Amino acid sequence: MQEPQITEDLIAAHGLSPDEYQEILRIMGRAPTFTELGIFSAMWNEHCSYKSSKKWLRTLPTTGPQVICGPGENAGVVDIGDGQAVVFKMESHNHPSYIEPYQGAATGVGGILRDVFTMGARPVAAMNALSFGAPDHPKTPSLVNGVVAGIGGYGNCFGVPTVGGEVRFHPAYDGNCLVNAFAAGIAQTDAIFYSAASGVGRPVVYLGAKTGRDGVGGATMASAEFDDTIEEKRPTVQVGDPFTEKRLMEACLELMQTGAVISIQDMGAAGLTCSAVEMGDKGGLGIQLNLDLVPVREDAMTAYEMMLSESQERMLMVLDPAKEAAARAVFEKWDLDFAVVGETIAEDRFVILHNGEEKANLPLSTLAGSAPEYDRPWVPTDAAEPLEFVPDVDPVDGLRALLSAPSYASKRWIWEQYDSQVMADTVAGPGFGAGVIRVHGTNKGLAFTSDVTPRYVAANPREGGKQAVAEAYRNLCATGARPLASTDNLNFGNPEKPEIMGQFVGALEGIGAACEALDMPIVSGNVSLYNETDGQPILPTPTIGAVGLIDDLDERIAGTPREGHVLLRIGVAGEGHLGRSALLWEVFNRDEGDAPSVDLDAERRTGVFIRENVQWIDCCTDVSDGGIAMAAYEMAHAGEVGVIIDEGGTADLFGEDQGRYLVACSFDKAEALMVAAGQAGVEIATIGRFAGADVVLSGSAAPLAELAALDAATLPSLFG
């Protein structure tokens, strides 16, 4: 088959600028072959090279005494004591999920699970953070149903519990939904596996499923804006098989016990290309591959297609040659392909052979390390205009408005489609607060949460970035967990627009400040840019996934409110901040004002106070979207008991001031908390009580059962 001529149009179709192509010519000293052009395109696209974000990612705190491995590997690794570690990461599959919702979301789950078990960890928990367009947009129902079915179809079949996440709806996502997938696993600290190859002349082994044409060019597609040619991109979406992935995990974990694995890397974005280059580059070695040896499921595949295919459920490994037979036996037992497809070489080259011809011969370290790094022009986001007058609303009517809005209504219809109990270690699944799993065979627990408020980030990127981390911190503290570390999934529009780049820079400044102040270093993550359609960007959505440790599950904050319990607010009374609030958007259709400010010292002090006084707390939740009114309703709903808050106007009840928790406990425990708060310098106040069967807010009342029915019916009525 004759290779295409390298033309300006072909270069542009590969996502390379004229300047970038000139740099390729300089590096190689000649024109690239078609396969080489594809390899450069894959390695230099935004999705793989982080060329617009590297400068700013380096500013994030990534270390701490608990961190075993920070960013740069397949996933982050954090010590949880007793010779064990939690391995976790969050990653996007946004563009594929918009083009083909079921497979896009399913393979997003599959990819993040591979990132975890590649490190030697058995996955124990999953989450997802989803952003969809307006509910009445014609594409939204099919996206919601497809994405949810894809997440459930893959995760349920693979056998990992989905324990948390978040879902929002906003017109800014009409043309570009977000699907951010999180996975965590448990490993032994002395058995973590890394991707750096070592040793010359060692076999490079292909593991798992066969290679097809699905996903060719997927990484490049993920680094481009959408336009009216979107349907043409459907072939770039991968197809997943969770049962093959389950076998692949078991085979890999079994293989790791044999001592045969020198290094291992999953084939994710850009498939064979990215995995081989990363392994060679990290180990300071070259790689030679013979594509005639790659297991394929389609006829007459070209070198270009094989190198850029993103077929799922595949791994690449450097093997101890003395243990090749034992390794092969493991994979044959699990009915998976095992093929020696190349070797490590001393020369700094990436050599691709196919049908007896040399299809590529590139300087490997340069290919990995010389991707352009841009210091994109950026402008700070303009300060928000002060919020103008907001009329009072009947508080129960305001609550009804939030419960009938899909962003704030119960997500039960979604999470009931996910298995949250598989593996039998789930202590708290989705629905109220952070998810919690037991570390198998111990009484330790791990808590998981995912948080961001995009409307805050749009108004004030720095405060919005801080708030995403602070809310994740509060959600963990509200279970009694000590926050350990974070992963980020940074979803933004086109970074070539200075105002979008300004959002990115501001958000990272806020995230970095909060992670530093709250001891939650970023240990892994993903950047997803060019989330735009026809020039319309999404809301800036830097999702924070966070993990906390509960040393003894008997001390977890796990109860629900009961008749006669006192309702306490811990943290500042607040000024009734309604700027960019849920109430302002859902009731008044206004997107105005500034984001609430975040006092990181107060966040830390209040979180520590919650964790140090769990013995006095029966139930706890943080105050976030919808303010005290929404948080109090959620507590009452969880406990199936009415709640009464005697005082407070619209701003008091629905304001979204930060750094606050609501706590339910008996009168005696409330007294003890008051004393402890005084000693700790933490503000505390009694604001209500749990009693009866109604929700009563400043004299306005409605039966809890009526509100709960409205809450439960919102999503099924729109999408069921």
Side-chain angles (χ1 to χ4, degrees), residues 585-604:
W585 175 251
E586 298 297 347
V587 174
F588 298 102
N589 198 27
R590 290 167 57 184
D591 198 17
E592 303 166 21
D594 201 356
S597 62
V598 179
D599 181 336
L600 293 170
D601 290 337
E603 290 279 5
R604 184 185 180 98

Side-chain angles (χ1 to χ4, degrees), residues 85-87 113 116 121-126 158-163 182-187 249 420 422-426 436-440 446 448:
V86 59
V87 179
L113 290 168
V116 167
R122 180 174 291 276
V124 295
F158 179 87
V160 64
T162 298
V163 300
F182 170 100
I186 303 291
M249 177 191 73
S420 62
V422 65
M423 301 179 77
D425 277 319
T426 303
V436 180
I437 62 111
R438 179 186 302 277
V439 178
H440 191 75
L446 289 171
F448 304 97

